[in-house]
Amino acid sequence: MELTVLKTDGSKTARTVTLPDSIFGIVPSEHAVYMDVRSIRDNSHLGLHKVKARSEVRGGGKKPWRQKGRGGARAGTIRSGVWVGGGSIFGPVPHDYYTGINKKVKRLAQKSALTAKAAGNAVVVVEDFTFEKPKTRSMVSVMNKLSGGDKKVLLLTGSTDKNVYLSGRNLQKVTVKSVEDFSTYDIVNADVLVLQEKALSGLERLAK
């Protein structure tokens, strides 16, 4: 697929780039995308949820009443899970949500997601740019002109650019990532993929 390189104001330059079929034109694997996105989402959980069990709540050291003779159910502690104020039964405890995934599957998932974006004409290539200082308003102006409206945008830069990153950090619908640091979820979650020219060469690692 051949695309015209755009300027930051949305106008066309005289240059064109070719998106390699080995990355943007493969037979996509929806299952690989699903596995990678699930892994990313699972691994984002801290797993710190915790409630107190029966042995952790205060009180209950004395048997509430005698075992027999009252006509009611026997009870050994007021901190039983069936009592108000008692410990939780089978409540959540801290645990690891980690889900591993094969490197080849992850690479296939990323290429599948990129192929889907290319097939949907949702890929834009822009000339390399930066800002003299972080300015959110400048990023909003550039992204609106490149994406054509109020859409979720993933901007892939050729290298880590602090001013570009900080300019887009506060924008809810703009995600700025280095070409070495993006994930399948970033691509799937965006409506439009904006690539800086230098980012294209960084994507060649996926073709291996």
Side-chain angles (χ1 to χ4, degrees), residues 154-168:
L154 171 61
L155 170 63
L156 292 186
T157 60
S159 58
T160 302
D161 188 318
K162 184 176 180 180
N163 288 345
V164 172
Y165 170 74
L166 292 177
S167 296

Side-chain angles (χ1 to χ4, degrees), residues 113-128:
L114 290 170
T115 294
K117 280 290 180 284
N121 296 319
V123 178
V124 175
V125 180
V126 63
E127 60 185 3
D128 298 325

Side-chain angles (χ1 to χ4, degrees), residues 4-24:
T4 301
V5 179
L6 302 182
K7 298 179 181 179
T8 54
D9 61 2
S11 61
K12 296 180 180 180
T13 66
R15 304 188 306 280
T16 60
V17 293
T18 301
L19 301 181
D21 290 337
S22 58
I23 300 175
F24 291 88

Side-chain angles (χ1 to χ4, degrees), residues 44-111:
S44 68
H45 288 293
L46 295 178
L48 301 179
H49 35 38
K50 176 74 171 70
V51 295
K52 289 185 177 181
R54 174 172 168 166
S55 63
E56 297 171 312
V57 293
R58 294 188 61 184
K62 179 182 178 182
K63 187 175 175 64
W65 51 71
R66 64 181 186 271
Q67 183 83 347
K68 298 177 180 293
R70 299 182 72 253
R74 57 191 173 182
T77 173
I78 61 173
R79 291 316 179 200
S80 168
V82 299
W83 284 54
V84 174
S88 294
I89 303 174
F90 300 126
V93 294
H95 68 278
D96 189 4
Y97 280 92
Y98 177 77
T99 302
I101 186 171
N102 187 285
K103 288 183 179 180
K104 291 184 177 179
V105 176
K106 182 180 288 289
R107 189 179 300 123
L108 174 60
Q110 291 180 347
K111 291 191 290 186

Side-chain angles (χ1 to χ4, degrees), residues 25-62:
I26 69 168
V27 177
S29 171
E30 293 184 2
H31 186 61
V33 173
Y34 159 74
M35 290 178 64
D36 195 19
V37 171
R38 185 190 67 175
S39 173
I40 293 167
R41 299 297 288 168
D42 285 350
N43 296 342
S44 68
H45 288 293
L46 295 178
L48 301 179
H49 35 38
K50 176 74 171 70
V51 295
K52 289 185 177 181
R54 174 172 168 166
S55 63
E56 297 171 312
V57 293
R58 294 188 61 184
K62 179 182 178 182

